[in-house]
Amino acid sequence: MDLTTSDLADGTVVTLVGRFDAHEVPAFRDSVAPLLDRDGDLVVDLFSVVFIDSSALAELVRTSKLAKERDTRFALRNLSAPVRVILELTGLHLALEVEDAATVREPS
Amino acid sequence: MTVDTYRSYREWATTKLATRPQVSVVIPAYNEEIRILPTVGAIATHMSSRGEPWELIVADDGSSDTTVALLSGLRFPNMRVLTTDRNGGKGSAVRRGIAAASGEYILFADADQSTPIEQFDHMFTRMREEGLDLLVGSRAAHGARVSGKSILRRVLSRGLRTFVRVLFDIRVRDTQCGFKLFRAETAREIFARQVIDGFSFDLEIIYLCHRLGFKVDEIPVEWIDAPGSKVDEAKVVARFLVDLAHIRLNDLRGRYEPRPTVSASVPAPRSRTHGPDDL
């Protein structure tokens, strides 16, 4: 999985590309941890994530809790179809903030 | 994928098929409460996006966790969950799944999504173009992409492959990958003869296909080791070697002669479709 971060006016966007599974959780955690202490929102863009497993879902929930403790807004953006479906099946679309939740995006 | 992918999934998830499925996806599952929902989600999304009518069959293998309850709660009209009281082994679970499948083609896929479902696309194309009876996803064929597999497992796999090739003259290099596509008639004939209940059933079905003259080939796939694998290398190797001997003996004793029907050869499963009508 590739991970890039972009600084925007209202916070930071972490863009993930590929398969987000247990193998990728340590790298995600290391990259996101310092971002939680920055000012502004923390948003994860899942436009190009083709699969997300239970470990990765748990990590998103963990990150969301840490963000809340720091009064940082944490949200998911641009869900790919499989990510949206997996979030719905696990019920986590209700536990995590999803921007523009009615819209699903597709990689071309 | 098209922009209609999510809509296609919702259609499949809410409306019962009016026609025979072209593809049945069979997933054997044993205590998969951690992994099963992401796997079902990925498979349902991708297969629905393709456009062919398809069904999903999860053959639970006597799970003692919440696997069956999680699946039942989905209430998908085109998904069946086969349950049984005892843990009979992966081979027995797949056999029950094959017996229940009604598609023209049957994909058997592991519950851990270690072979991404997107790999189905080039398999299905080649299966039909070449008129194959069985197409085996392979981690050993040229062009395969394997990641996360330990050096120990790589060495053991290579050793066992060599052993299988010498002993059985099977040209398929990776008999054990949990991603295989069958023509339904072939699957029914093979699984009516197949007797091994454990994980070596993969080798047995390929052996039977070769013995009966079915058209078999392998195709390179992407494979990512799924953390939390239940594989114990030492036990796997020991069991595999014992099963190799059993397959030879079974053949010599005539146990691979045809039986009446596949459904008659398996313990009666408590099979039901978990859908809105059930609740």
Side-chain angles (χ1 to χ4, degrees):
Chain A
M1 181 180 77
D2 293 327
L3 182 154
T4 56
T5 60
S6 312
D7 293 327
L8 302 177
D10 54 354
T12 307
V13 175
V14 178
T15 302
L16 308 181
V17 177
R19 178 176 167 122
F20 188 13
D21 62 14
H23 293 293
E24 310 295 341
V25 165
F28 176 83
R29 185 178 294 185
D30 290 347
S31 299
V32 166
L35 304 177
L36 288 165
D37 294 322
R38 290 189 187 177
D39 291 333
D41 300 343
L42 176 58
V43 176
V44 178
D45 189 313
L46 297 164
F47 176 78
S48 298
V49 171
V50 294
F51 178 66
I52 185 164
D53 78 354
S54 299
S55 299
L57 292 169
E59 186 61 19
L60 291 178
V61 172
R62 177 182 173 276
T63 306
S64 174
K65 287 180 178 173
L66 290 174
K68 192 170 282 183
E69 289 170 9
R70 289 164 169 78
D71 286 329
T72 297
R73 176 175 167 268
F74 176 75
L76 309 180
R77 174 181 293 174
N78 292 341
L79 303 185
S80 64
V83 169
R84 180 179 181 185
V85 170
I86 292 168
L87 283 173
E88 288 180 357
L89 296 187
T90 54
L92 290 176
H93 64 304
L94 303 174
L96 297 166
E97 180 181 339
V98 180
E99 293 183 352
D100 199 9
T103 307
V104 61
R105 309 296 171 88
E106 306 285 349
S108 56
Chain B
M1 282 194 185
T2 71
V3 290
D4 292 327
T5 298
Y6 181 75
R7 235 171 287 151
S8 300
Y9 154 76
R10 288 298 304 166
E11 174 78 12
W12 178 86
T14 55
T15 309
K16 189 157 182 63
L17 291 178
T19 58
R20 178 188 178 191
Q22 188 168 11
V23 181
S24 299
V25 179
V26 173
I27 304 175
Y30 177 63
N31 288 345
E32 292 287 355
E33 64 183 0
I34 302 295
R35 303 192 284 202
I36 197 66
L37 290 182
T39 293
V40 166
I43 289 174
T45 309
H46 184 74
M47 293 304 294
S48 300
S49 75
R50 292 179 45 84
E52 304 107 354
W54 76 283
E55 66 174 355
L56 178 59
I57 295 171
V58 182
D60 184 72
D61 192 19
S63 293
S64 56
D65 66 2
T66 61
T67 300
V68 172
L70 288 171
L71 292 166
S72 303
L74 298 179
R75 305 170 73 193
F76 288 157
N78 301 302
M79 178 179 79
R80 276 178 286 166
V81 182
L82 311 180
T83 60
T84 182
D85 292 329
R86 68 177 186 93
N87 176 222
K90 187 176 177 182
S92 72
V94 173
R95 194 186 309 139
R96 286 186 291 115
I98 297 286
S102 57
E104 298 169 43
Y105 295 89
I106 304 173
L107 174 72
F108 142 54
D110 277 348
D112 58 11
Q113 185 67 0
S114 51
T115 303
I117 188 61
E118 291 80 6
Q119 302 293 296
F120 172 79
D121 295 354
H122 70 295
M123 285 183 86
F124 195 45
T125 300
R126 187 162 157 206
M127 184 89 174
R128 290 187 297 180
E129 284 179 355
E130 298 184 16
L132 298 170
D133 293 299
L134 168 61
L135 186 54
V136 177
S138 175
R139 297 161 292 186
H142 181 68
R145 287 183 293 156
V146 175
S147 58
K149 196 174 187 181
S150 69
I151 292 174
L152 175 62
R153 284 186 71 182
R154 285 175 192 265
V155 170
L156 289 174
S157 296
R158 193 162 297 173
L160 289 175
R161 274 176 208 144
T162 304
F163 202 67
V164 165
R165 193 167 57 245
V166 170
L167 193 64
F168 289 91
D169 192 27
I170 288 176
R171 282 160 296 166
V172 170
R173 279 165 286 190
D174 183 5
T175 59
Q176 298 310 112
C177 182
F179 207 78
K180 293 181 172 69
L181 182 59
F182 299 86
R183 210 166 51 82
E185 291 80 0
T186 304
R188 274 187 261 284
E189 183 160 354
I190 293 299
F191 278 87
R193 298 170 187 233
Q194 177 271 333
V195 294
I196 289 181
D197 286 339
F199 55 83
S200 306
F201 80 97
D202 290 276
L203 172 63
E204 189 185 28
I205 59 172
I206 293 171
Y207 176 70
L208 279 167
C209 280
H210 279 288
R211 185 179 178 277
L212 299 174
F214 285 117
K215 202 171 172 185
V216 181
D217 207 344
E218 65 182 339
I219 188 168
V221 292
E222 180 183 5
W223 186 89
I224 305 106
D225 180 52
S229 165
K230 300 181 181 75
V231 172
D232 176 332
E233 283 86 358
K235 283 184 183 170
V236 165
V237 170
R239 185 70 246 175
F240 194 75
L241 293 174
V242 169
D243 284 343
L244 288 179
H246 279 162
I247 292 170
R248 272 294 194 204
L249 282 173
N250 287 339
D251 200 6
L252 290 171
R253 291 171 177 164
R255 290 194 67 182
Y256 292 139
E257 296 309 311
R259 287 179 280 172
T261 62
V262 65
S263 55
S265 68
V266 296
R270 287 184 282 113
S271 166
R272 60 192 298 256
T273 300
H274 294 283
D277 294 340
D278 295 311
L279 304 174

